[in-house]
Amino acid sequence: MIVMKFGGTSVGSIEAFEQVIKIVQHAVAEQQSAPKLGQVPGVVVVTSAMSGVTNILIDTATQAAVGNEGHIDAAQQSLTNKHQLVMDTFIDDPAERADCDQTIADRLFQFGRMCTSIAALQELSPRSLDIVSGMGERMSAPMLAAVLRSQGITAEFVDAGDIVVTDDVHGGAEPIMDLTIARTQERLQPLLQQGVVPIITGFVGTSEKGAPTTLGRGGSDYSAAILGAVLDADEIQIWTDVNGVMTADPRVVSNARRLNQLTYEEVGELAYYGAKVLHPKTAMPAIDKKIPLRVLNTFEPDNPGTKIAARTENTVKGTVKAVTSIRNMNMITVSGNGLMGVPGVAGRTFNTVAETNANVLMICQSSSELSICFVVPAVDAGSVTLALEKEFTQELDKHVVDRIECQPDIGIIAVVGSGMRGVPGLAAKIFNAMATEEVNVIAIAQGSSEANVSVVIDAENLSRSVQALHTAFELDKPTEARTK
Ligand code: ASP
Ligand code: MG
């Protein structure tokens, strides 16, 4: 049994739908002709909203929240047109078409009402935003099911709100696995046994209290992985618009290559440090059951893509797999002569940061203990600095803490590879490459997983440094051709 997730661009145009039809038909035929011993054959499809739809939904609601209702009609109209174009092309059966039109109209009516209330209250809570932002998948998934039926595939729409149970952290919910397992098995197993292909909304879930939730932007990947783990799938396929995970962002490094394989750990680090290809949490549900993930291109389905698993073959050479970077960061430093040996400063610092809900991407402390520094997204830096100043008011007065500094325009580069564990000289090589480029390294840290060395530098040097590291580690060459 396989889970196939189609991203926004994979359901974003007529051409994309044509590809998806072929890909699903092929997968269904393959599952039927060669069922794996002891396993239920079958295909489960998870879909994103059509590309651009989630943004329109969120923007319209955000405008409404400041009292601007003028965009609602236009948004409803453009979303209707977008879906109708697909239905016009693929759905001939009048009853099927009427049903599908009704579903889209109902959703958009509900969307309009939500936005009008948001405008009246001039308030957009994370809970309301989840209702609105999840509507894109609630249009694309029933429509995709109807399109696939029109092409002879026995498909049935399933709302993930009925099966994925989450906590109530709106805008970034986490699944509650035991409840999700029970509901998913109950809803999907009978379909799979009858040879039906469930077409499931990505991105959305329902809290234990019954409120609609979402798993965070780009969360359909995570949905697919959760369902894949629950169903113990043979493979989780992430169908997108590129040929897989690359050694670097091809817009930054022109000779970046597609990676044949990666470990869960590596893909986790890459996604966390800015690689856009997968939602950062996607690997997590797959790890325990060792379910391979595959990133594939809807528009080039014969390309082998990137396989992600617990281990990769040939880890002797090519210890470094990829270089990625992330911008719009600030570095915050708490320093003072009085910090030496004063217990609890680090603890208080990070407790304070945690209370602001800022995400700390990297931490370093100098061995002299005279300073602690850490990197947070620029948007959070102001509130973090304020909170720390408040927490350490007394220490600042007594000069135990001299300064709480915030350095803007920072970026992080992550050099990623599971094989880096225990390999000497890597940091030296990174420093050398940076030195040759005359880039000042502000801080360097190795993640606890040892699958990642991250380097903090001025954001203006990011692209140049990524290029230099890509060359230094010979990532432009196939693994076999590298000298190290
Ligand atoms: N449609 C959602 C988003 O745009 C989820 C996804 O595409 O994975 O963020
Ligand atoms: Mg998407």
Side-chain angles (χ1 to χ4, degrees), residues 5 8 48-49 54-55 137 203 216-221:
K5 178 258 170 176
S48 288
T54 314
N55 286 343
E137 276 72 7
F203 187 46
R217 291 307 305 269
S220 298
D221 295 337

Side-chain angles (χ1 to χ4, degrees), residues 250-272:
R251 286 164 303 184
V252 177
V253 180
S254 58
N255 55 4
R257 296 172 54 88
R258 176 182 62 82
L259 288 152
N260 268 320
Q261 13 170 3
L262 276 176
T263 63
Y264 296 127
E265 183 177 56
E266 288 165 338
V267 88
E269 297 285 354
L270 283 173
Y272 189 73

